[in-house]
Amino acid sequence: MTLRGRILNGAVVLDAPPPLPEGAEVEVVVRAPVPAGPKSAAGGAEPPTLFEQLKDCLGIAEGLPEDASRNLDHYLYGHPKK
C-alpha cells in the first residue's frame, strides 16, 4: 500500500486519511525531489528528457565490438548475428 503526503512543520501529513487501525506500525520512505527543469507553457515544470537524464553516460562504453548496436541481441541473448 502506498500513501502519499508531505512534511508540514516537521510532521508527515497524508493527502487522504489512511485506512489503517490506530497504532499500526508504518515505514516512511523519503523520495528524492524531482529536479526542476524548464517551465512549460502551462507554468509547471517539465520532467527532464531521457537525454538529460542519461547525458553523463554518453560515450563512456569502451571495448565493444564494432557491430554491437546492430547485433545487440546476439551479444546479450545469443541470437544469430545479422
Side-chain angles (χ1 to χ4, degrees), residues 43-79:
E46 292 181 7
T49 64
L50 183 59
F51 172 78
E52 292 168 340
Q53 294 176 36
L54 299 176
K55 66 183 174 187
D56 295 336
C57 300
L58 295 176
I60 62 172
E62 294 179 3
L64 297 176
E66 290 182 20
D67 64 342
S69 64
R70 187 174 348 107
N71 289 302
L72 182 64
D73 286 342
H74 168 73
Y75 293 110
L76 292 179
Y77 311 114
H79 293 201

